[in-house]
Amino acid sequence: MKSTTIFFVLITLIVSLNVTAQNSSFDCKTSEVNAIYFQQHPEALNEYKQFNAYSKDFVNNLKQNKSSSSTSYVIPVVVHVYGEVQGGLAVDYQTIVNSIAQVNEEFQGLNADYNTVDSEFMGIRGSLDIEFKLAKLDPDGNCTDGVIFHPESAGQGNINSPIVANDAWDNYKYMNVYITNDLYGVGFLTYTGVAWYPSTEMSDENLARIVYNGIYLTGNTDRESASTLTHEFGHFFNLIHTHEGNCRDLDLVMDTPPEILYSDIEGESNCSQIVQCNTHINYENYMGYKAYYGGCYKMFTQGQMNRVIAALNHPTRKPLWQPSNLIATGVNSDCNLSSNDLTLENKVITYPNPINDTFTITSDAFNGEDISIHIFTILGEKVYQKEYINAESSLTIENSIKSSGYYIVKVVLKDGRQLNIPLIKK
């Protein structure tokens, strides 16, 4: 029933995106914005239907073959920050690091209150061996800390925001997160976040993303409110609100009980069982609103984590965690080789004409590794590239540079570590 009726709910949610102040600042508009996108892009809606049917079969097979759920996942993340101060609060690199760390804890079931879940739902708690890591190599192979600071701007939560595509890093290599104080560009500064379900069309256009308010990052608010970022990460991997469809139970997860969107729960501070739809709701679930209003965020269900695993196999999400992409984004490396690892006089390469000259770079770090050498002009034009498979510790570079001048030699190891060396061609 869930799989056949959710699309009716999506269509009924297609209304103008009203971003004026509501009764609560926690108003995740993921259902609405996805419904509007599906209305504008029928092919994306068709893909969504087909993938949800696939996800149902995938989850059923996963239950029968528990070993297939033992995969570890690493997801490269780039965070775009629009304003280093949002709502009077700092949004700096460490704030982002702390926020990603909290998301990791909560997906992995390592949050301090995970073992205090209501006994009625203790048996369906779910966790996943997944880690979100800030990228260490940018799309051009340069070192990065994974947090990009842009001039202050707003509206990244609007469906077709030009800012998003302009600033995006390749959606098939990086999970893009946008941090802004004004999600919809209308001056209302307390909305929390919004995200989009997997869509090939969106990723092709570099529009797949999470948009989040910096005032709700870890350290800028209480821990429960900061868990809303975990809620948005859930949406990015195809999790739906637990109250979707109200008592029609349309979140497409079998072990989450049905509940109602609003029913005298707003503003409650008491984390306790509540009966809705003739059952106790999972009031501590990250994908519900009750948990936020009550300060009760503690858990995903195993059914939700199985649905996330299915989403990790969507054509737009699967490339993210492939080993080759982890190398390309540098998430498992230290990025920079120390200049002390190289045997070079003064750590600068200097050699004269003629054209047939060569130079040698020596490092024990090269021995047996796959190495690539790139040479750029100071304006960024690449003039040389060569791959070395199972390289020796001493690499001889043949001179292919015809013009005198200043260059940069980029040495890149297979694990993503790299070093830039100045080169002077006399």
Side-chain angles (χ1 to χ4, degrees), residues 300-350:
F300 291 109
T301 69
Q302 189 55 54
Q304 287 173 318
M305 291 295 92
N306 289 343
R307 184 169 169 83
V308 169
I309 295 172
L312 283 162
N313 287 276
H314 187 279
T316 64
R317 304 298 189 253
K318 189 171 183 176
L320 295 172
W321 52 273
Q322 298 308 302
S324 59
N325 191 52
L326 303 186
I327 293 171
T329 56
V331 291
N332 292 327
S333 74
D334 293 329
C335 189
N336 284 326
L337 286 167
S338 169
S339 60
N340 294 326
D341 292 336
L342 294 172
T343 302
L344 289 171
E345 185 178 355
N346 298 323
K347 305 300 182 290
V348 176
I349 302 167
T350 303

Side-chain angles (χ1 to χ4, degrees), residues 178-224:
Y178 296 75
I179 308 295
T180 182
N181 195 201
D182 186 355
L183 272 65
Y184 303 106
V186 294
F188 187 60
L189 306 180
T190 57
Y191 281 112
T192 48
V194 67
W196 278 261
Y197 304 136
S199 163
T200 300
E201 192 167 351
M202 289 198 78
S203 290
D204 286 349
E205 296 176 356
N206 271 344
L207 294 175
R209 80 274 196 187
I210 291 170
V211 183
Y212 195 72
N213 194 331
I215 67 175
Y216 298 110
L217 292 169
T218 302
N220 285 349
T221 187
D222 62 90
R223 186 175 176 87
E224 293 297 325

